[in-house]
Amino acid sequence: MILRLGYDIQFEIPATTAIVALLNVHPSRVEDLRAPDELLVEPAAQIENFIDSFGNRCVRFVAPQGKLRLSNSTLIWDSGQPDRVSPDAREIPVQELPHEALRYLYNSRYCEVDRFSNIAWELFSGVPAGWGRVQAICDWIHTKVSFGYQYARPTKTALDVYTERFGVCRDFQHLAVTMCRALNIPARYATGYLGEIGVPATLTPMDFSAWFEVYLEDRWWTFDARNNKPRVGRVLMATGRDASDVAMTTSFGIANLTHFTVISEQLSQEQAG
Amino acid sequence: MILRLGYDIQFEIPATTAIVALLNVHPSRVEDLRAPDELLVEPAAQIENFIDSFGNRCVRFVAPQGKLRLSNSTLIWDSGQPDRVSPDAREIPVQELPHEALRYLYNSRYCEVDRFSNIAWELFSGVPAGWGRVQAICDWIHTKVSFGYQYARPTKTALDVYTERFGVCRDFQHLAVTMCRALNIPARYATGYLGEIGVPATLTPMDFSAWFEVYLEDRWWTFDARNNKPRVGRVLMATGRDASDVAMTTSFGIANLTHFTVISEQLSQEQAG
Amino acid sequence: MILRLGYDIQFEIPATTAIVALLNVHPSRVEDLRAPDELLVEPAAQIENFIDSFGNRCVRFVAPQGKLRLSNSTLIWDSGQPDRVSPDAREIPVQELPHEALRYLYNSRYCEVDRFSNIAWELFSGVPAGWGRVQAICDWIHTKVSFGYQYARPTKTALDVYTERFGVCRDFQHLAVTMCRALNIPARYATGYLGEIGVPATLTPMDFSAWFEVYLEDRWWTFDARNNKPRVGRVLMATGRDASDVAMTTSFGIANLTHFTVISEQLSQEQAG
Amino acid sequence: MILRLGYDIQFEIPATTAIVALLNVHPSRVEDLRAPDELLVEPAAQIENFIDSFGNRCVRFVAPQGKLRLSNSTLIWDSGQPDRVSPDAREIPVQELPHEALRYLYNSRYCEVDRFSNIAWELFSGVPAGWGRVQAICDWIHTKVSFGYQYARPTKTALDVYTERFGVCRDFQHLAVTMCRALNIPARYATGYLGEIGVPATLTPMDFSAWFEVYLEDRWWTFDARNNKPRVGRVLMATGRDASDVAMTTSFGIANLTHFTVISEQLSQEQAG
């Protein structure tokens, strides 16, 4: 299937500020693109592309005082297959993990692994290691935490989610990531597009979505403690230790959001031509 | 001058566990070594060397149940010059920083940059940008925070240090790193050897030391909010976002420390031959 | 002047639960009442009145499963005078404070006095002690913290407010209370009615309001870090160490708020008859 | 039996400061005293006795700059009976609790009840209500938390104890108190003397001790999550919401502890005459 992806994000900038945006499709999905995937910055700015230490495509530019608009519209091919499920995927002992996976066992800003070692062990050590243990973590969080946009806040950590039991997408994933790491399972935070394909439509305006990835057997797998069921049409944009690493935009001065729309929808057969 | 470096670290391991050690001299200092710098693991274990995403030399091995000893003794040439001071070094606007420096502007486990933006601005915006502002941060912390081993704890964050005003080496540096990042100055946590060379001897047993590095002008510079004066004989081992990234040893199971000595001393002329 | 006070608060109660309500006028204002001030509970419940350890009038009852409505409508005489201002009111040394005031120097759930001693001293020790120092605290908070209902959350503490700089009424007062206590000035949290009398009308629906009281010279004085100007028509309902002590309703099981209106308005001369 | 109680506590006071001391036997035990129980303050100071809002005997005085010594030595009769155990004691529904017990259901500085409601419910709702549930809480904490003086810190809360799993006396009790309150069981923090009577002697220097009290059936009962077995010879000094309310000494300026001894021992028959 072909997905149309895009966004229109606008800010009011009170004073010139540098911005780093992770608003492109992840390099691992570039070959699936069916149209250019270029961030349009208005007013026009000199744009610099680079790949960060996590492998994400980043754009850096300077936003002058005034209105700023970041937009994009592209097309991508998608298999139309739901997230892969592999109940037999094994946990890999730390000594056998690829080096690159090790950093996803450590603490990060919103994932206080050091405060969860006992809690995670008490809750999940009884579940057989491997895919099932990660799924048990997702099930627990999905059951125990309630979703609500009013519960979002930028400084909320996994421990806050664990005690408050309310949150948005990112909060569910932060808690899951932290539990996994506390059990020596590499886990990383992921952001991207997730349209309502093959699921009952909601009236909620689209947003970018967060999920997480876990290293089992010989690769990274997608999990999602918020939706907690295999979904069709995820398009990865970035992965990192937690939301701090992969914010859609990080501005190094004040940037007041004034408008925000995201699109991720399946092209009809006619449109897809 | 020639420095003798070494350590003898012993653990009691209740059950087989993987360990990652950052106990070698940093790659940037390898050319100064005058003797092999190899971590000796007893009982002998299969050792794997790799470079992590921060550029540090890491060693991974499996420690069996029982006693574990990690030791090393090497020699390194040192210029004998104190930490460079460059009062005219300028802050670099975020848009001109090398990409690699950007990640040191972000949040990390013990450096809650997102909670310090106002505090840092209120305390230090009145100080001219650049070297002097970083020095002002160090002066403030050096004056306000008291040192004491009894105040160490593994989960202590920059915000804890800011409110409690007590801590060990790492706590001083975490607070400084966080203040710098909150002011858009790239700052990273550093660990290594720091002997008592050219300073009054203390009776305190040697430990590894922590300091931090700041990106100004066109390079990283050493700062040290704990000692807060240029020192001779630092030998860098690792840099990272904070202490979580560069722990001397990260064990993925229980490892109870039973013995710990570190040496970092200048060879006499006779010894140096 | 005569004020009409009232509220209509409705809950959905999933399972029988005990509730304690602080929804009456404070005993210190009872003599000003011009109509009965009785909490109406629907469905009718056996109601028990008592005075808590802080001197507040409390009501306890059991809410059965189903809808619960708490309402009231009363009249009270008010002097029409704004909050008293007494710039010469002195701070009282701790050894001379009335015993009853001492507990308002201590820590409480949302007021971590122990984490603010240095911060408060650094910010306000330069201001002469007494009324002016309390006013300086209010000015600082009023300037630095931004109001917004979306920033409310039940577990937010003074330290959160200090770092986040966003909050609702209660957050402003918690931070002010904590700063005062850290400077050895007794301060207590207060709740009550505060209509828009003599101030520009807003379109915001009325809510109960929070302010705080400080012991200076020989009595408690009203301060309000949120509005930060003398106001007409405050009607005190309860005082305590912080919001935890004086919640309008504390339910010991789940109670989902479904409706909430508060009225506090001046009767016209005709109405007042 | 007759117990000899006493202490010798010394401070260095850098600048005149007011102090409130809770260093007397609790009013509930006054009738058991066999010798005067008077705090000796040196240098002599004007002493003021009062009862605080929790019913504790308090002493307030001004300590001048210099050395300060607080000492006492008294005798008290004790039944010699271990803490009462009453496995059938019932939990009392909130609506039937005495008013005075209600405040011990609320949040306090070190007992974040609002963050534990889910955690406590998940851990202990499966245990039948009443004495057994409180005992289950003590058992859990006693098993999960390790004691160590090096883990003491003044700002440590129940949530810290729950995640860190290390602490001193007060930390064990704070966590237990918080769990109880989260389950609607009134619980208060208690301090006093607890000698090593009828238990194996340790080499640890005596300290004051902390335990907690729970309201069940028709009275307050002693529990102790640290020792977790009935003990002989507790002499209550103070109860409050948590350690902040009942510090042995609260100084409103700097007071550096220089010496600390406590005695609580059984008089031999000869001594007891």
Side-chain angles (χ1 to χ4, degrees):
Chain A
M1 66 174 61
I2 301 295
L3 303 178
R4 183 198 308 283
L5 309 176
Y7 48 83
D8 181 346
I9 308 174
Q10 298 173 29
F11 297 92
E12 184 67 41
I13 307 287
T16 300
T17 180
I19 291 183
V20 172
L22 277 73
L23 282 167
N24 290 95
V25 162
H26 192 262
S28 62
R29 290 297 298 270
V30 162
E31 62 189 27
D32 296 330
L33 285 166
R34 293 294 176 267
D37 171 36
E38 292 306 324
L39 168 64
L40 177 65
V41 179
E42 298 168 279
Q46 190 178 338
I47 275 191
E48 189 185 7
N49 282 275
F50 66 96
I51 301 292
D52 69 14
S53 69
F54 298 102
N56 304 308
R57 185 172 161 204
C58 305
V59 167
R60 178 167 59 169
F61 59 91
V62 175
Q65 186 270 330
K67 291 186 189 307
L68 171 70
R69 186 180 184 210
L70 307 179
S71 61
N72 196 353
S73 178
T74 189
L75 299 173
I76 198 166
W77 174 86
D78 193 83
S79 71
Q81 297 301 308
D83 303 324
R84 283 181 63 182
V85 174
S86 179
D88 297 331
R90 292 171 310 126
E91 277 182 40
I92 304 303
V94 173
Q95 58 270 26
E96 298 173 20
L97 286 170
H99 306 142
E100 301 74 44
L102 289 174
R103 66 170 141 174
Y104 298 106
L105 292 172
Y106 287 65
N107 288 298
S108 59
R109 170 66 181 100
Y110 304 118
C111 300
E112 313 102 323
V113 182
D114 51 3
R115 301 191 74 173
F116 272 90
S117 45
N118 291 289
I119 296 168
W121 187 252
E122 285 157 13
L123 289 173
F124 302 111
S125 64
V127 181
W131 182 280
R133 188 175 280 178
V134 179
Q135 187 54 55
I137 290 171
C138 290
D139 291 346
W140 191 92
I141 294 171
H142 185 73
T143 306
K144 299 286 191 178
V145 180
S146 300
F147 183 88
Y149 279 109
Q150 70 273 35
Y151 304 117
R153 63 177 192 270
T155 58
K156 197 173 199 169
T157 71
L159 186 57
D160 292 329
V161 184
Y162 178 68
T163 59
E164 300 177 14
R165 303 291 168 93
F166 289 102
V168 292
C169 238
R170 83 177 215 159
D171 300 317
F172 284 73
Q173 320 305 347
H174 278 156
L175 182 52
V177 161
T178 309
M179 293 282 196
C180 288
R181 291 183 192 166
L183 295 166
N184 289 342
I185 307 170
R188 62 190 188 193
Y189 185 87
T191 60
Y193 294 91
L194 177 56
E196 297 184 329
I197 299 167
V199 294
T202 62
L203 295 176
T204 322
M206 266 283 297
D207 192 355
F208 290 111
S209 191
W211 55 85
F212 72 108
E213 296 184 343
V214 161
Y215 195 92
L216 294 174
E217 199 72 45
D218 59 354
R219 51 162 287 197
W220 292 95
W221 306 82
T222 295
F223 283 86
D224 180 344
R226 159 77 175 99
N227 292 298
N228 202 30
K229 65 184 69 155
R231 288 285 293 266
V232 169
R234 289 185 206 271
V235 180
L236 186 67
M237 298 174 83
T239 63
R241 288 200 185 175
D242 64 27
S244 185
D245 287 331
V246 295
M248 294 303 162
T249 56
T250 301
S251 80
F252 295 89
I254 298 171
N256 298 309
L257 187 70
T258 55
H259 177 84
F260 182 85
T261 57
V262 178
I263 291 171
S264 175
E265 58 190 15
Q266 185 179 2
L267 254 59
S268 66
Q269 278 198 304
E270 289 161 50
Q271 291 171 311
Chain B
M1 66 173 60
I2 301 295
L3 302 177
R4 183 198 311 282
L5 308 176
Y7 48 82
D8 181 346
I9 309 175
Q10 298 173 28
F11 297 92
E12 185 66 42
I13 307 286
T16 300
T17 180
I19 291 184
V20 173
L22 279 71
L23 282 167
N24 290 97
V25 161
H26 192 263
S28 63
R29 290 298 298 271
V30 162
E31 63 189 27
D32 295 331
L33 286 166
R34 294 293 177 268
D37 170 37
E38 292 306 326
L39 169 62
L40 177 65
V41 179
E42 298 168 279
Q46 190 178 339
I47 275 193
E48 190 185 7
N49 282 275
F50 65 96
I51 301 292
D52 69 15
S53 70
F54 299 102
N56 304 307
R57 186 172 161 204
C58 305
V59 167
R60 178 167 57 171
F61 59 92
V62 175
Q65 186 270 330
K67 291 185 189 307
L68 171 70
R69 186 180 183 209
L70 306 179
S71 60
N72 196 352
S73 179
T74 189
L75 299 173
I76 198 165
W77 174 86
D78 193 83
S79 72
Q81 297 301 309
D83 303 325
R84 281 180 66 182
V85 174
S86 179
D88 296 331
R90 291 173 308 127
E91 277 182 40
I92 303 303
V94 172
Q95 59 270 27
E96 299 173 19
L97 286 171
H99 306 141
E100 302 74 45
L102 288 175
R103 67 170 141 173
Y104 299 106
L105 291 172
Y106 286 65
N107 289 298
S108 59
R109 170 67 182 99
Y110 304 118
C111 300
E112 313 102 323
V113 182
D114 51 3
R115 301 192 74 174
F116 271 91
S117 44
N118 291 288
I119 297 169
W121 187 252
E122 285 158 12
L123 288 173
F124 302 111
S125 64
V127 181
W131 183 279
R133 189 175 278 178
V134 179
Q135 187 54 54
I137 290 171
C138 289
D139 292 346
W140 191 92
I141 293 171
H142 185 74
T143 305
K144 299 284 190 179
V145 180
S146 300
F147 183 89
Y149 279 109
Q150 70 272 35
Y151 304 117
R153 64 176 192 270
T155 58
K156 197 174 199 170
T157 71
L159 186 57
D160 291 329
V161 184
Y162 177 67
T163 60
E164 300 178 13
R165 303 292 167 92
F166 289 102
V168 292
C169 239
R170 85 176 212 159
D171 301 318
F172 284 73
Q173 320 305 347
H174 278 157
L175 182 52
V177 161
T178 309
M179 293 282 195
C180 288
R181 290 183 193 166
L183 295 165
N184 290 342
I185 306 171
R188 63 190 188 193
Y189 184 86
T191 59
Y193 295 92
L194 176 58
E196 296 184 331
I197 298 167
V199 295
T202 63
L203 295 177
T204 322
M206 266 283 300
D207 192 355
F208 290 111
S209 192
W211 56 86
F212 72 108
E213 295 183 343
V214 161
Y215 195 91
L216 295 173
E217 198 72 45
D218 58 355
R219 49 162 287 196
W220 293 95
W221 306 83
T222 295
F223 283 85
D224 181 342
R226 159 79 174 100
N227 292 299
N228 203 29
K229 64 185 67 158
R231 288 284 293 266
V232 169
R234 290 186 204 271
V235 179
L236 185 68
M237 298 174 83
T239 64
R241 287 200 185 175
D242 64 27
S244 185
D245 289 330
V246 294
M248 293 303 162
T249 57
T250 299
S251 79
F252 295 90
I254 298 170
N256 297 310
L257 188 69
T258 55
H259 178 83
F260 183 84
T261 56
V262 178
I263 291 172
S264 174
E265 57 191 15
Q266 185 179 2
L267 254 58
S268 66
Q269 279 199 303
E270 289 162 52
Q271 291 171 309
Chain C
M1 66 173 62
I2 300 295
L3 302 177
R4 182 198 310 281
L5 308 176
Y7 47 82
D8 181 347
I9 309 175
Q10 298 173 29
F11 298 92
E12 183 66 41
I13 307 286
T16 301
T17 180
I19 291 183
V20 173
L22 277 72
L23 282 166
N24 290 97
V25 161
H26 192 262
S28 63
R29 291 297 298 271
V30 162
E31 63 189 29
D32 295 330
L33 286 166
R34 294 294 177 265
D37 170 38
E38 292 306 327
L39 168 62
L40 177 65
V41 180
E42 299 168 278
Q46 189 178 340
I47 275 192
E48 189 185 8
N49 282 275
F50 65 97
I51 301 291
D52 70 14
S53 70
F54 299 102
N56 303 308
R57 186 172 161 203
C58 304
V59 167
R60 180 168 55 171
F61 59 91
V62 176
Q65 187 271 330
K67 292 187 188 307
L68 172 69
R69 185 180 184 210
L70 307 179
S71 61
N72 195 354
S73 178
T74 189
L75 299 173
I76 198 166
W77 174 86
D78 192 83
S79 71
Q81 298 301 308
D83 303 324
R84 281 180 64 182
V85 174
S86 179
D88 296 331
R90 292 171 309 126
E91 277 182 41
I92 304 303
V94 172
Q95 58 269 28
E96 298 173 19
L97 286 170
H99 306 141
E100 302 75 43
L102 288 174
R103 68 169 140 174
Y104 298 107
L105 292 172
Y106 287 65
N107 289 298
S108 59
R109 170 67 181 100
Y110 304 118
C111 300
E112 313 102 323
V113 181
D114 51 2
R115 300 192 74 173
F116 272 91
S117 44
N118 290 289
I119 296 168
W121 187 252
E122 284 158 12
L123 289 173
F124 302 111
S125 65
V127 181
W131 183 279
R133 189 174 278 179
V134 179
Q135 187 54 56
I137 290 170
C138 290
D139 292 346
W140 191 92
I141 294 171
H142 186 73
T143 305
K144 300 284 190 180
V145 180
S146 299
F147 183 88
Y149 279 108
Q150 70 272 36
Y151 304 118
R153 64 175 192 269
T155 59
K156 197 173 198 171
T157 71
L159 186 57
D160 292 330
V161 184
Y162 177 68
T163 60
E164 301 178 13
R165 304 292 169 91
F166 289 102
V168 291
C169 239
R170 84 178 213 159
D171 300 317
F172 284 74
Q173 321 304 348
H174 278 157
L175 182 52
V177 161
T178 308
M179 292 282 195
C180 287
R181 290 183 193 166
L183 295 166
N184 291 342
I185 307 171
R188 63 190 188 194
Y189 185 87
T191 59
Y193 295 92
L194 176 57
E196 297 185 331
I197 298 168
V199 295
T202 63
L203 295 177
T204 322
M206 265 283 299
D207 192 354
F208 290 112
S209 192
W211 54 87
F212 72 109
E213 295 183 343
V214 160
Y215 195 91
L216 295 173
E217 198 72 45
D218 59 354
R219 50 163 287 196
W220 292 95
W221 306 82
T222 294
F223 283 86
D224 181 344
R226 159 79 175 99
N227 292 299
N228 202 29
K229 63 185 69 156
R231 289 285 293 267
V232 170
R234 290 185 205 271
V235 180
L236 186 67
M237 298 174 82
T239 63
R241 288 203 186 173
D242 63 27
S244 185
D245 288 330
V246 295
M248 294 302 161
T249 57
T250 300
S251 79
F252 295 89
I254 297 170
N256 297 309
L257 188 69
T258 54
H259 178 85
F260 182 84
T261 55
V262 178
I263 290 171
S264 174
E265 58 190 15
Q266 185 179 1
L267 255 59
S268 66
Q269 278 198 303
E270 288 163 51
Q271 291 170 310
Chain D
M1 66 172 64
I2 301 295
L3 303 177
R4 183 199 308 283
L5 308 175
Y7 47 82
D8 181 346
I9 309 173
Q10 298 172 28
F11 297 92
E12 184 67 41
I13 307 286
T16 300
T17 180
I19 291 183
V20 172
L22 277 72
L23 282 166
N24 290 96
V25 162
H26 191 263
S28 63
R29 291 297 298 270
V30 162
E31 62 189 27
D32 295 331
L33 285 166
R34 293 296 176 264
D37 170 35
E38 292 305 326
L39 168 62
L40 177 64
V41 180
E42 299 168 278
Q46 190 178 336
I47 275 192
E48 191 184 7
N49 282 275
F50 66 97
I51 301 292
D52 69 15
S53 69
F54 298 102
N56 304 307
R57 186 173 160 203
C58 305
V59 167
R60 178 167 58 169
F61 59 92
V62 175
Q65 185 271 328
K67 292 186 188 307
L68 172 71
R69 186 179 183 211
L70 306 179
S71 61
N72 195 353
S73 178
T74 189
L75 299 173
I76 198 165
W77 174 85
D78 192 85
S79 70
Q81 297 302 308
D83 303 325
R84 283 180 63 181
V85 174
S86 178
D88 297 331
R90 292 172 308 127
E91 277 182 40
I92 303 303
V94 173
Q95 58 270 26
E96 298 172 20
L97 286 170
H99 306 141
E100 301 75 44
L102 288 175
R103 66 168 141 175
Y104 299 106
L105 291 172
Y106 286 65
N107 288 298
S108 59
R109 170 67 181 100
Y110 304 118
C111 300
E112 312 103 322
V113 182
D114 50 3
R115 301 192 73 174
F116 272 90
S117 43
N118 291 289
I119 297 169
W121 186 252
E122 284 157 12
L123 289 173
F124 303 110
S125 64
V127 181
W131 183 279
R133 189 174 281 179
V134 179
Q135 187 54 55
I137 290 171
C138 289
D139 292 346
W140 191 92
I141 294 172
H142 186 73
T143 305
K144 300 283 191 180
V145 180
S146 300
F147 183 88
Y149 279 109
Q150 70 273 35
Y151 304 116
R153 63 176 193 268
T155 58
K156 197 173 198 170
T157 71
L159 186 58
D160 292 328
V161 184
Y162 177 68
T163 60
E164 301 178 13
R165 304 290 168 93
F166 289 102
V168 291
C169 238
R170 83 177 215 159
D171 300 317
F172 285 73
Q173 320 305 346
H174 278 156
L175 182 52
V177 161
T178 308
M179 293 282 196
C180 288
R181 291 183 192 166
L183 296 166
N184 290 342
I185 307 170
R188 63 191 188 193
Y189 184 86
T191 59
Y193 295 92
L194 177 58
E196 297 184 330
I197 298 168
V199 296
T202 63
L203 294 176
T204 322
M206 267 282 300
D207 192 354
F208 290 111
S209 193
W211 55 86
F212 72 107
E213 295 184 344
V214 160
Y215 194 91
L216 295 173
E217 197 73 46
D218 58 354
R219 51 161 286 197
W220 292 95
W221 306 82
T222 295
F223 284 85
D224 180 344
R226 158 78 175 101
N227 292 298
N228 202 30
K229 64 184 70 158
R231 288 286 292 267
V232 169
R234 290 185 205 270
V235 179
L236 186 67
M237 298 175 82
T239 64
R241 289 201 186 174
D242 64 27
S244 185
D245 288 331
V246 295
M248 293 303 161
T249 56
T250 300
S251 80
F252 295 90
I254 297 170
N256 297 309
L257 188 69
T258 55
H259 178 85
F260 183 84
T261 56
V262 178
I263 291 170
S264 174
E265 57 190 16
Q266 185 179 4
L267 254 58
S268 65
Q269 279 198 304
E270 289 162 50
Q271 289 170 311

